[in-house]
């Protein structure tokens, strides 16, 4: 069969029905796990893994939707044509329950402290198998994860962690008297104990055997019983499974320290119950004793928790600070003002420096024309501002005035070449969407996208977008204009220009669609 016919066959698969079937099974797994009906959970997982819909959607996710879809493994394949996609589906049908993992491609990634970490990338076939397993394992574990765990989970984001810190340190929570104990886990992904992890995973035995092979394919030479490959589709989920429960370590006496976790980054908020009075020496000594006791209790409990998982605390990234002195977490700097006890968050110094260097590199790169530079820098600025949109950005430091001035000078020199005025390019390159400080609406308690409350999750995910995309979502009642399904957290929303003219931004010419639906629209044109 020719590639053209296979392309039509792939596009004409009933993806809408496949998504509905998959979600229905995932919802049943999630609810069975809430009831602690483990037998029913495994039966439903087996049913999901047997479905053709799950296999096709897993393949589509790693070959079309994921950001790393063009990254090659050890086999050198960076993409699959339609014939290879159907061949991969047949492989999953035949060998999915007896899967043998290939070796991993190692890519060194430099870190801020000068060291490097190895990104271990599986082949596309192995990534598809992991995505297929994840579809069955994730809903079961979502029912067990703690509410204050935010990293690499559907329906949760770094902004939820930011809001939780706001709730813990705002003025009516007496944030000015609190202390922050920052903690990081040393080489978390590289040191997770395999045996302990396998005991925690809720999955059929054949899948657990395949996951065991997945873990062994990415182990370090000196640590054969430890490590989760960082480039795998399922690796973040496995790390969350291993670390689940650390948030519920209620450490302390009168006011237990609360833990907020994003992947392997931890923050403990300690409330001593009073503020020290510098005029009273005994008062200061009592506070120091309480804080030292709380710090020791946290270290002991967390160390005991991590030892069972083959992990340990990283001393160089562990420190105790007053909330009024400030601390960095997830690219933000948090602090409580001493004069009025108001909570503030701003981009951290390292984050702002990295962003500025990236933007300058684009502006000063002579190989690009002004039009190309404006397009590239607009994406960088928009992404940075959207991530920090709930921070305090009205200060002179984050105005981007000097960067805009430099861009204007460079663009003005190339104005005639590209037939764009410098002013027009500046407006495109430095978009400035509106926002409000600490205005993020936090996810409700332990809610999960697998709980079946489609209305709540569709509206919530729609708020992640602004401008023309937000308006289109409201007009369409938070549903994809192409397939008619509600938008969920598992796939990005994109704007489609109906007349295919990307310069026509009129309201009636814009519709919101899933990323995969957007690809199919253009494939059919």
């Amino acid at each position: 069969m020719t590639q053209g016919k296979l392309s039509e066959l792939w596009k004409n698969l009933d993806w809408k029905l496949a998504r509905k079937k998959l979600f229905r099974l995932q919802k049943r797994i999630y609810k069975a796990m809430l009831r602690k009906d483990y037998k029913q959970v495994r039966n439903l997982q087996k049913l999901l893994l047997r479905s053709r819909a799950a296999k096709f959607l897993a393949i589509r996710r790693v070959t079309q939707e994921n950001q790393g879809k063009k990254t090659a493994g050890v086999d050198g394949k960076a993409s699959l044509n339609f014939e290879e996609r159907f061949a991969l589906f047949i492989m999953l049908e035949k060998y999915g329950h007896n899967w043998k993992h290939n070796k991993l491609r190692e890519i060194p990634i430099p870190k801020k402290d000068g060291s490097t970490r190895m990104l271990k990338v599986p082949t596309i076939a192995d990534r598809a198998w992991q995505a297929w397993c994840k579809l069955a394992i994730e809903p079961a574990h979502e029912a067990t994860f703690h509410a204050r765990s935010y990293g690499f989970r559907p329906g949760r984001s770094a902004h939820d962690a930011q809001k939780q810190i706001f709730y813990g340190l705002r003025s009516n929570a007496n944030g000015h008297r609190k202390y922050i104990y920052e903690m990081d886990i040393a080489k978390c992904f590289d040191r997770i104990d395999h045996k302990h992890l396998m005991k925690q995973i809720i999955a059929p035995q054949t899948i657990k055997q395949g996951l065991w092979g997945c873990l062994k394919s990415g182990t370090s030479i000196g640590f054969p019983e430890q490590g989760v490959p960082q480039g795998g589709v399922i690796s973040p989920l496995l790390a969350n499974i291993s670390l689940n429960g650390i948030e519920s370590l209620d450490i302390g006496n009168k006011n237990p320290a609360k833990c907020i976790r994003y992947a392997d980054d931890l923050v403990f908020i300690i409330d001593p119950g009073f503020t020290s009075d510098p005029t009273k020496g005994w008062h200061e000594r009592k506070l120091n004793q309480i804080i030292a006791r709380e710090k020791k209790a946290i270290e002991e409990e967390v160390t005991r928790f991590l030892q069972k998982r083959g992990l340990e605390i990283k001393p160089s990234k562990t420190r105790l600070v007053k909330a009024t002195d400030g601390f960095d977490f997830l690219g933000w700097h948090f602090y409580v003002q001493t004069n009025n006890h108001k909570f503030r968050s701003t981009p951290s110094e390292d984050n702002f420096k990295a962003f500025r260097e990236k933007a300058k590199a684009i502006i000063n790169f002579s190989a690009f024309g002004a039009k190309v530079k404006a397009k590239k820098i607009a994406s960088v600025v928009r992404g940075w501002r959207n991530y920090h949109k709930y921070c305090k950005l009205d200060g002179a430091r984050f105005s981007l005035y000097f960067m805009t001035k430099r861009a204007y000078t460079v663009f003005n020199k190339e104005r005639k070449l590209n037939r764009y005025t410098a002013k027009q390019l500046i407006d495109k390159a430095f978009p400035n969407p509106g926002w409000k400080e600490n205005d993020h609406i936090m996810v409700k308690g332990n809610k999960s996208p697998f709980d079946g409350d489609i209305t709540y999750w569709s509206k919530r995910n729609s708020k992640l977008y602004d401008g023309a995309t937000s308006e289109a979502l409201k007009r369409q009642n938070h549903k994809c204009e192409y397939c008619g399904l509600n938008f969920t957290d598992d796939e990005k929303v994109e704007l489609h220009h109906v007349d295919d003219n990307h310069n026509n931004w009129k309201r009636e010419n814009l519709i919101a669609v899933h990323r995969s639906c957007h690809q199919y629209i253009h494939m059919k044109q």
Side-chain angles (χ1 to χ4, degrees):
M1 193 178 291
T2 63
Q3 280 294 317
K5 290 182 179 179
L6 287 169
S7 170
E8 285 298 317
L9 184 60
W10 180 266
K11 287 184 290 185
N12 292 330
L13 289 173
D14 197 339
W15 295 108
K16 181 177 179 180
L17 181 61
R19 289 167 71 111
K20 282 185 175 181
K21 285 184 176 180
L22 175 65
F23 181 72
R24 185 163 60 245
L25 285 170
Q26 288 181 319
K27 182 172 68 173
R28 290 177 65 189
I29 292 170
Y30 176 81
K31 291 187 174 180
M33 192 64 205
L34 287 178
R35 300 192 304 269
K36 296 184 178 179
D37 188 349
Y38 299 108
K39 183 178 179 180
Q40 178 74 348
V41 168
R42 285 184 172 81
N43 287 337
L44 288 169
Q45 285 179 324
K46 291 175 183 178
L47 185 61
L48 185 150
L49 292 167
R50 285 198 299 268
S51 72
R52 292 161 57 93
K55 296 182 182 73
F56 274 122
L57 287 168
I59 294 169
R60 187 177 77 164
R61 186 156 298 178
V62 299
T63 57
Q64 287 183 222
E65 299 170 14
N66 286 357
Q67 288 185 342
K69 60 188 177 184
K70 293 184 179 179
T71 305
V74 291
D75 59 356
K77 288 187 178 180
S79 61
L80 299 182
N81 58 35
F82 294 103
E83 183 179 358
E84 290 170 330
R85 292 180 196 181
F86 283 109
L88 180 53
F89 168 78
I90 295 171
M91 282 181 62
L92 289 177
E93 285 271 274
K94 286 186 176 181
Y95 309 113
H97 292 280
N98 190 26
W99 193 262
K100 303 297 181 184
H101 264 73
N102 293 292
K103 293 182 179 180
L104 305 179
R105 177 189 171 200
E106 296 188 351
I107 303 174
I109 305 293
K111 299 174 72 173
K112 289 191 296 184
D113 58 3
S115 61
T116 58
R117 66 181 178 90
M118 297 303 297
L119 184 67
K120 300 179 179 181
V121 182
T123 62
I124 294 179
D126 288 339
R127 295 204 294 269
W129 183 87
Q130 291 180 24
W132 174 61
C133 294
K134 186 181 177 184
L135 293 174
I137 297 172
E138 190 170 46
H141 283 280
E142 270 295 308
T144 67
F145 286 155
H146 197 279
R148 291 196 299 273
S149 166
Y150 301 106
F152 304 114
R153 291 182 59 190
R156 281 169 166 74
S157 66
H159 291 131
D160 291 306
Q162 182 188 34
K163 189 74 172 191
Q164 184 65 56
I165 292 174
F166 164 74
Y167 284 143
L169 298 180
R170 58 183 175 177
S171 56
N172 62 0
N174 296 313
H176 65 283
R177 75 185 186 191
K178 295 182 179 179
Y179 285 71
I180 307 299
Y181 192 27
E182 300 176 71
M183 189 176 290
D184 192 13
I185 301 171
K187 297 184 178 179
C188 178
F189 280 83
D190 295 333
R191 296 292 182 267
I192 292 176
D193 184 74
H194 291 167
K195 291 182 179 178
H196 184 276
L197 174 60
M198 295 306 298
K199 290 178 183 177
Q200 308 302 314
I201 295 174
I202 303 166
Q205 191 60 35
T206 55
I207 297 302
K208 293 181 79 170
Q209 288 174 354
L211 287 173
W212 181 260
C214 171
L215 295 175
K216 291 303 177 185
S217 67
T219 52
S220 302
I221 297 175
F223 301 90
E225 301 296 326
Q226 294 175 294
V228 173
Q230 292 195 42
V233 174
I234 204 170
S235 299
L237 174 61
L238 297 180
N240 273 336
I241 292 172
S242 183
L243 294 175
N244 185 40
I246 199 169
E247 307 88 356
S248 57
L249 297 175
D250 289 330
I251 306 161
N253 298 319
K254 185 178 179 181
N255 299 303
K258 287 189 176 180
C259 174
I260 300 167
R261 180 173 72 87
Y262 191 93
D264 58 343
D265 292 325
L266 310 172
V267 163
F268 288 87
I269 299 178
I270 303 173
D271 185 4
F274 63 94
T275 308
S276 65
D277 185 352
T279 62
K280 299 179 180 179
W282 64 270
H283 201 267
E284 185 76 20
R285 286 194 300 273
K286 182 180 178 182
L287 177 65
N288 291 336
Q289 289 173 359
I290 292 174
I291 296 301
R293 187 168 62 244
E294 293 289 324
K295 179 177 179 291
K296 184 179 179 182
I298 291 172
E299 285 180 348
E300 290 176 350
E301 286 293 324
V302 172
T303 299
R304 193 178 300 116
F305 178 91
L306 294 178
Q307 279 178 346
K308 296 178 182 177
R309 292 151 177 82
L311 301 170
E312 60 183 7
I313 300 169
K314 189 173 185 178
S316 61
K317 287 193 175 182
T318 300
R319 67 182 191 129
L320 180 71
V321 296
K322 288 184 179 180
T324 51
D325 293 337
F327 65 100
D328 292 348
F329 186 58
L330 300 179
W332 293 306
H333 181 71
F334 300 101
Y335 64 99
V336 176
Q337 293 178 335
T338 54
N339 54 348
N340 55 14
H341 300 165
K342 281 189 176 182
F343 171 83
R344 288 282 183 255
S345 62
T346 62
S348 68
E349 185 176 342
D350 289 341
N351 181 277
F352 186 60
K353 182 180 178 181
F355 157 71
R356 194 171 61 240
E357 292 299 321
K358 191 173 183 180
K360 281 183 177 180
I362 295 172
I363 294 170
N364 297 330
F365 190 49
S366 58
F368 292 152
K371 186 177 179 180
V372 176
K373 288 180 181 179
K375 186 177 180 179
K376 287 183 175 293
I377 201 171
S379 176
V380 173
V381 173
R382 188 183 298 110
W384 184 81
R385 279 182 162 158
N386 282 340
Y387 185 75
H388 299 292
K389 60 186 174 182
Y390 302 117
C391 291
K392 180 178 172 58
L393 293 176
D394 54 359
R397 180 182 175 188
F398 304 111
S399 67
L400 307 185
Y401 168 77
F402 292 104
M403 194 183 298
T404 307
K405 185 178 178 182
R406 170 64 181 165
Y408 181 85
T409 303
V410 173
F411 292 172
N412 195 45
K413 292 179 181 178
E414 301 170 357
R415 178 177 55 187
K416 293 180 181 179
L417 178 64
N418 292 282
R419 299 179 184 176
Y420 268 75
T421 65
K423 181 66 173 63
Q424 287 175 325
L425 289 172
I426 288 295
D427 291 340
K428 288 188 176 185
F430 292 88
N432 191 11
W435 58 75
K436 290 184 180 178
E437 187 181 359
N438 300 320
D439 200 39
H440 176 68
I441 298 175
M442 193 174 170
V443 62
K444 289 183 180 178
N446 268 320
K447 282 192 71 65
S448 169
F450 302 115
D451 61 11
D453 192 352
I454 296 176
T455 303
Y456 169 81
W457 287 106
S458 295
K459 290 182 178 179
R460 175 176 172 78
N461 292 327
S462 297
K463 291 178 182 177
L464 300 176
Y465 301 91
D466 51 24
T469 308
S470 178
E471 291 178 8
L473 288 169
K474 290 175 183 176
R475 287 198 308 271
Q476 297 167 202
N477 196 24
H478 313 286
K479 292 183 179 180
C480 176
E481 191 70 10
Y482 181 77
C483 68
L485 294 178
N486 290 80
F487 291 105
T488 54
D489 186 66
D490 63 342
E491 194 170 350
K492 189 177 179 181
V493 178
E494 293 185 351
L495 272 182
H496 172 64
H497 295 73
V498 178
D499 64 358
D500 206 28
N501 179 9
H502 286 210
N503 293 320
N504 182 3
W505 287 85
K506 292 182 179 179
R507 178 178 173 180
E508 59 273 12
N509 191 50
L510 302 173
I511 58 173
V513 294
H514 291 105
R515 171 177 283 179
S516 57
C517 293
H518 200 188
Q519 292 172 346
Y520 293 134
I521 292 171
H522 285 287
M523 286 168 72
K524 289 184 176 181
Q525 289 177 348

